[in-house]
Amino acid sequence: MLAQLRPEFPDVTISKIRFLEAEGLVRPARTASGYRQFSVADVERLRFVLSAQRDRYLPLKVIREQLDAATDAASGSLSRIDLLTQTGLGAEQLSQLERDGLLRPGPGGRFTADDVTALRTIRTMTGLGVEREHLRAVRAAADHEVVLLKSFSDPETVRELAGLFTSLHTLLVRAGLRQS
């Protein structure tokens, strides 16, 4: 498991993984003798947690909420009421976010786990003082990336480039913060 994670996360240690397990962010199976057995899903979950910490500076509480939302909604799409319940937003707040283009329901007005995660992220950001107009700027930047990514036809290339855009964005923000 460490061999799979270290190329992307060279500082990861067994004690870090045990800490994340103790925090309930990963739950590997155990053998009869007590050894941990990490599945492919466990490794992907760890990769998500480590990326969220490193790239987005998210606290464990927010990461846990995002993982829980993804798990809760993994079985399918969500209704508007389900979305409001899982995010703690009011109906008017949700309508405003839709008008601002920050949330776009899918076919049949249904929502996904990504929508839950996005809304929880938006709620956290606004709680930290980010204004609606700044969130709209983030939406506009994302829309520009989507237009560029749609010019590529290979889905694997699109997925890889989307990840690279995210990484580059994070690096550019870090560089800008170091210079200020």
Side-chain angles (χ1 to χ4, degrees):
M1 180 267 315
L2 279 177
Q4 292 177 33
L5 293 172
R6 279 214 169 116
E8 189 176 352
F9 308 98
D11 297 334
V12 71
T13 62
I14 291 173
S15 61
K16 171 75 172 184
I17 301 305
R18 287 183 181 153
F19 170 75
L20 294 174
E21 181 183 5
E23 292 293 314
L25 292 163
V26 66
R27 297 172 202 91
R30 298 277 186 154
T31 65
S33 56
Y35 290 102
R36 291 168 181 83
Q37 289 184 316
F38 290 90
S39 67
V40 172
D42 291 326
V43 174
E44 287 306 309
R45 192 172 172 100
L46 282 169
R47 187 170 278 117
F48 174 82
V49 170
L50 295 169
S51 296
Q53 284 184 306
R54 180 194 66 198
D55 300 340
R56 296 183 281 154
Y57 309 105
L58 293 179
L60 293 180
K61 178 184 174 196
V62 173
I63 296 169
R64 185 178 301 105
E65 286 176 356
Q66 291 181 354
L67 287 169
D68 290 347
T71 301
D72 292 345
S75 61
S77 63
L78 299 166
S79 70
R80 187 176 194 79
I81 292 170
D82 292 335
L83 186 70
L84 291 171
T85 301
Q86 287 193 26
T87 61
L89 289 175
E92 180 51 40
Q93 291 173 299
L94 182 58
S95 295
Q96 184 61 55
L97 291 170
E98 287 176 303
R99 286 190 297 273
D100 289 345
L102 292 165
L103 182 70
R104 296 175 179 157
R110 304 292 289 183
F111 301 92
T112 67
D114 284 345
D115 295 322
V116 172
T117 302
L119 289 176
R120 287 181 173 171
T121 302
I122 289 167
R123 186 181 65 204
T124 301
M125 292 173 73
T126 56
L128 292 170
V130 175
E131 300 292 331
R132 282 183 32 223
E133 58 268 12
H134 297 124
L135 294 172
R136 287 194 302 264
V138 172
R139 169 84 263 165
D143 288 343
H144 288 295
E145 286 182 28
V146 168
V147 168
L148 177 61
L149 290 170
K150 283 184 175 181
S151 69
F152 295 88
S153 58
D154 176 42
E156 187 58 38
T157 300
V158 170
R159 275 192 294 279
E160 183 175 355
L161 284 171
L164 291 169
F165 271 110
T166 301
S167 295
L168 179 60
H169 174 84
T170 300
L171 293 168
L172 293 172
V173 168
R174 282 184 194 164
L177 289 173
R178 278 194 313 273
Q179 294 173 356
S180 43

